[in-house]
Amino acid sequence: MARYFARRILSSLLLLVSVSILSFVLLEFAPGDFYETLRLNPRVSEATVNALRSQHGVNSSLPVRYFRWVHSVSKGEWGYSLAYDSPAAPILWTRAKNTLLLTGTAMILAWIIAIPFGTWGAARRGKAPDWFVRGTTSILLAIPDLVLALLLVLCAVRSGYFPAGGMVSFDFSEMSLWAKFRDLFRHLFLPCLCLAASSFPVLLSHTRTAVLEVLESPFITAARGYGIPVRRLLFRHALPAAANPLISLFGVSIGVLLSSSVLIEVIFGWPGLGQLLLEAILQRDFFLVIDSAMLATAFLVSGNLIADVLLYACDPRVRAN
Amino acid sequence: MGPELPSKAGQAPSLLKVQNLTKRYVQGGWFSRHQFEVTALENVSFALRRGTTLALVGESGSGKTTLGRCLARLVNPNSGEIWFEGRNLLALSSGALLKARRQIQLVFQESAAAMNPRLSAVEIVSEPLLIQERLRRKERRERALAMFERVGLSPLWADRSPLEFSGGQRQRLAVARALILDPTLLILDEALSGLDLSIQMHMANLLLALQSSLSLTYLFISHDLRLAAYVATEIAVMQRGKIVESGSVVDVFSNPKHSHTRLLIDTIPGSGGERV
Ligand SMILES: Nc1ncnc2c1ncn2[C@@H]1O[C@H](COP(=O)(O)OP(=O)(O)O)[C@@H](O)[C@H]1O
Ligand SMILES: [Mg+2]
């Protein structure tokens, strides 16, 4: 078993290396560089731009730049952001933390609502709770994220209580701890709601389907035959047996934590990695783009690994194989 | 109390009396115009005397499983009555139903599917005790292990997964689980189908021994007439949701009245029927 996980980790590392190389090659084909826009400024001379280019190694060949980047990753700097004129790592970490705050909260919110409701819908199949669950799923699935986000922004502007964008107010640093918390909460609420609402229907319908499938299995019928109460039936027998597809889905939710919020971040002005990535692409801020892609891939791969470990820990049948 | 159950002189009174039981399933899509009804049971009536075995035979889809599950109150019939020890099972409060459940236990054909693979063998056998008697863990285990021996399973297997058991052993485990609550009526739904012939015979003998030592009443559901004749004293033949013929095993086999019964008897391998 240890061998299996060692192999999985090794192949994940290989994947990351391939993604980094691929990103470098792909960006090589993208037209322009960071200094393109600088040249539009009549006060900056051609010579100055060229001097800047060679100073930052933009002109070097692809392999040279790649190995410089690898070297800088090993130093923990993760390349250099030309736009911010600073090593990329500190910028990335701040942004990634902000994104994780948003997406992590939204994910936890969506899961802790989806599991009981999906289970409830499955347990009362064809009855009112089930119709409620299925109705909510279809409605939320039918509303595009963009429309939902814009609606919520509208609400924010109209209500006046929720800020229309950003993560904290300008006077955040002077606030007391409790005020800081409230301020952050007010900023977090709408984007988080929007993000949770976009993943919620998927989680809800998966939970419902998974539990429903288990409830129809003969061992549940057998347990009903000796009079097992519904609560024990659901939580001791049905949910653990339904866990496998849900664990895989959980792995996916972790995997997209860094990449699922680009749209929401842009609309709500959330200073996260998605927004940074968009800026970096538009400005051709090379290393930030590569690093963002690497981080997103790393999360995707880790999500998968975490799901595998959980499956192994939870299912006696997986362990038996 | 229910109607006085008819009992002929010299015969044990009925333990179970079923009257005009009807069950219709709705099959098909979500919308009413795609749906259609399947009548799985149509006005089924029969009585089962204490300590006897009634074999319920019939081709696949004739409604045997549905009948067994109605009796175990796992399926709700559309109409009819089920009188068990003088009480109408269909009119019990949920508390009384929970008590009644321990009287009627079911053994399923697919024993592997009918057991939670996450539980160990001893947990499977002892869980009914947890629900019905709230015994402590140690006592539950002791009672379960005693039942292991009763059905001929080694207690050394107690902590294994049921998935490690062979088909025959797992069926013993299923019987142990069904008997742990000390039931009166055991419904065996194709419990021996899918086992090798020799194991079938072992199991049939085990069932007969358990019946006399624990004074059990059996409803033995099977599509195998030979096995039914070996185990049962009475037989009821089902076809398309109805009981088309019933009586003592000897009478029905020696003088089948319904054409479907004759067809079933003729198709028993070795009966000579295939030559026709
Ligand atoms: N849960 C169910 N939903 C819909 N139809 C069912 C269900 N269970 C059984 N049936 C139908 O009822 C009929 C009788 O089935 P069953 O009682 O399983 O027969 P048997 O056990 O004799 O093979 C069949 O036509 C079957 O398709
Ligand atoms: Mg059947």
Side-chain angles (χ1 to χ4, degrees):
Chain A
M1 205 58 220
R3 268 200 20 227
Y4 169 73
F5 281 110
R7 245 198 355 248
R8 285 292 312 268
I9 291 172
L10 197 71
S11 68
S12 305
L13 290 178
L14 273 177
L15 182 72
L16 283 174
V17 172
S18 333
V19 166
S20 69
I21 294 175
L22 198 69
S23 313
F24 266 85
V25 172
L26 283 178
L27 279 184
E28 183 73 6
F29 289 116
D33 64 31
F34 179 74
Y35 297 105
E36 200 94 309
T37 37
L38 215 54
R39 254 199 12 219
L40 299 178
N41 187 338
R43 280 178 299 166
V44 180
S45 73
E46 182 89 41
T48 319
V49 171
N50 282 338
L52 277 171
R53 274 191 176 136
S54 54
Q55 184 198 334
H56 286 290
V58 178
N59 287 337
S60 337
S61 71
L62 183 69
V64 172
R65 270 181 292 142
Y66 183 73
F67 284 107
R68 268 199 207 137
W69 177 76
V70 171
H71 179 64
S72 131
V73 168
S74 70
K75 281 195 302 182
E77 283 182 0
W78 290 77
Y80 195 84
S81 162
L82 300 173
Y84 286 81
D85 197 18
S86 128
I91 306 167
L92 285 166
W93 298 153
T94 324
R95 295 303 192 107
K97 259 196 331 229
N98 294 348
T99 292
L100 285 181
L101 175 67
L102 173 64
T103 54
T105 317
M107 178 184 95
I108 293 169
L109 188 70
W111 273 97
I112 61 178
I113 301 178
I115 290 216
F117 273 88
T119 311
W120 187 43
R124 322 273 309 125
R125 180 183 197 177
K127 308 258 169 58
D130 192 24
W131 284 106
F132 171 73
V133 163
R134 292 205 332 234
T136 313
T137 308
S138 329
I139 291 171
L140 284 179
L141 274 181
I143 304 178
D145 291 356
L146 183 64
V147 174
L148 189 65
L150 292 177
L151 267 175
L152 288 178
V153 172
L154 195 70
C155 288
V157 174
R158 280 297 181 83
S159 76
Y161 179 71
F162 293 112
M167 188 165 114
V168 290
S169 303
F170 61 93
D171 53 352
F172 187 74
S173 53
E174 287 138 41
M175 291 177 182
S176 69
L177 194 66
W178 172 239
K180 273 186 178 165
F181 179 77
R182 274 204 0 220
D183 187 57
L184 189 60
F185 175 80
R186 272 175 46 214
H187 282 86
L188 186 61
F189 188 81
L190 289 180
C192 179
L193 191 68
C194 194
L195 209 55
S198 73
S199 62
F200 181 64
V202 180
L203 304 186
L204 190 64
S205 71
H206 271 81
T207 309
R208 179 183 171 274
T209 315
V211 175
L212 209 57
E213 201 164 295
V214 175
L215 285 181
E216 279 169 5
S217 64
F219 79 82
I220 293 285
T221 314
R224 285 203 296 133
Y226 47 79
I228 192 165
V230 177
R231 201 160 2 103
R232 186 175 167 88
L233 186 72
L234 284 177
F235 289 98
R236 169 105 172 128
H237 293 278
L239 261 183
N244 287 8
L246 295 182
I247 287 174
S248 309
L249 191 64
F250 184 69
V252 176
S253 319
I254 292 181
V256 298
L257 274 180
L258 278 185
S259 42
S260 59
S261 58
V262 179
L263 179 74
I264 305 289
E265 284 181 15
V266 171
I267 293 176
F268 286 93
W270 188 265
L273 201 63
Q275 218 190 33
L276 181 74
L277 174 66
L278 197 70
E279 281 169 24
I281 290 175
L282 292 176
Q283 298 179 328
R284 305 269 180 270
D285 201 352
F286 196 72
F287 290 120
L288 283 185
V289 178
I290 304 244
D291 293 342
S292 304
M294 292 298 292
L295 275 182
T297 315
F299 259 75
L300 211 63
V301 171
S302 331
N304 261 324
L305 267 177
I306 290 173
D308 280 357
V309 172
L310 283 177
L311 278 179
Y312 178 76
C314 296
D315 194 337
R317 282 165 301 174
V318 174
R319 268 201 301 273
N321 288 332
Chain B
M1 279 293 111
E4 208 33 58
L5 303 171
S7 61
K8 291 175 206 154
Q11 280 187 337
S14 294
L15 173 71
L16 175 78
K17 194 168 161 70
V18 172
Q19 279 173 337
N20 295 325
L21 206 63
T22 297
K23 173 66 191 176
R24 287 182 291 270
Y25 288 111
V26 178
Q27 289 186 338
W30 280 18
F31 299 102
S32 47
R33 68 198 155 94
H34 295 300
Q35 288 178 345
F36 58 96
E37 279 192 334
V38 177
T39 305
L41 295 177
E42 194 176 349
N43 285 323
V44 171
S45 303
F46 68 93
L48 183 52
R49 281 177 298 120
R50 202 179 281 274
T52 60
T53 299
L54 172 68
L56 196 61
V57 299
E59 60 194 357
S60 166
S62 57
K64 308 183 296 293
T65 294
T66 304
L67 180 54
R69 291 188 179 194
C70 283
L71 299 182
R73 295 294 280 111
L74 293 171
V75 165
N76 274 328
N78 294 79
S79 62
E81 290 171 12
I82 303 171
W83 292 91
F84 183 79
E85 294 193 318
R87 286 186 306 169
N88 187 352
L89 284 190
L90 297 176
L92 295 181
S93 68
S94 58
L97 178 60
L98 181 63
K99 287 216 189 75
R101 282 198 187 282
R102 43 180 320 167
Q103 300 283 307
I104 304 177
Q105 286 291 304
L106 216 148
V107 177
F108 297 81
Q109 173 178 4
E110 321 91 24
S111 56
M115 292 172 184
N116 188 342
R118 280 154 206 274
L119 302 183
S120 70
V122 69
E123 284 173 321
I124 284 173
V125 174
S126 62
E127 193 179 33
L129 287 177
L130 175 74
I131 282 120
Q132 291 274 358
E133 297 192 8
R134 307 188 174 278
L135 292 180
R136 264 182 279 119
R137 190 184 179 83
K138 192 160 161 284
E139 284 174 272
R140 291 205 307 268
R141 190 180 169 91
E142 276 165 14
R143 292 259 296 266
L145 289 182
M147 196 48 82
F148 265 58
E149 299 203 14
R150 264 225 122 104
V151 300
L153 281 175
S154 161
L156 295 175
W157 282 67
D159 296 305
R160 302 213 182 179
S161 157
L163 300 176
E164 294 175 54
F165 283 53
S166 71
Q169 283 173 322
R170 203 158 42 226
Q171 215 48 268
R172 286 172 196 264
L173 198 63
V175 171
R177 169 171 70 178
L179 292 181
I180 194 100
L181 290 176
D182 207 5
T184 319
L185 171 64
L186 201 59
I187 300 167
L188 298 139
D189 187 357
E190 306 272 9
L192 309 188
S193 312
L195 299 178
D196 290 345
L197 210 58
S198 65
I199 297 173
Q200 268 185 351
M201 288 317 287
H202 273 124
M203 285 297 293
N205 290 331
L206 172 70
L207 288 175
L208 291 174
L210 288 169
Q211 179 168 42
S212 61
S213 64
L214 300 173
S215 53
L216 294 164
T217 308
Y218 286 158
L219 180 67
F220 188 85
I221 298 176
S222 179
H223 62 270
D224 183 342
L225 260 69
R226 274 188 310 182
L227 207 53
Y230 184 74
V231 177
T233 42
E234 321 229 336
I235 194 163
V237 181
M238 284 194 78
Q239 184 191 20
R240 283 188 235 111
K242 290 184 192 155
I243 294 187
V244 292
E245 180 161 9
S246 62
S248 76
V249 169
V250 181
D251 288 349
V252 172
F253 268 76
S254 58
N255 184 17
K257 298 210 166 55
H258 195 274
S259 59
H260 189 64
T261 313
R262 278 197 292 275
L263 182 75
L264 288 179
I265 292 175
D266 284 348
T267 47
I268 295 177
S271 68
E274 324 86 309
R275 274 187 272 115
V276 181

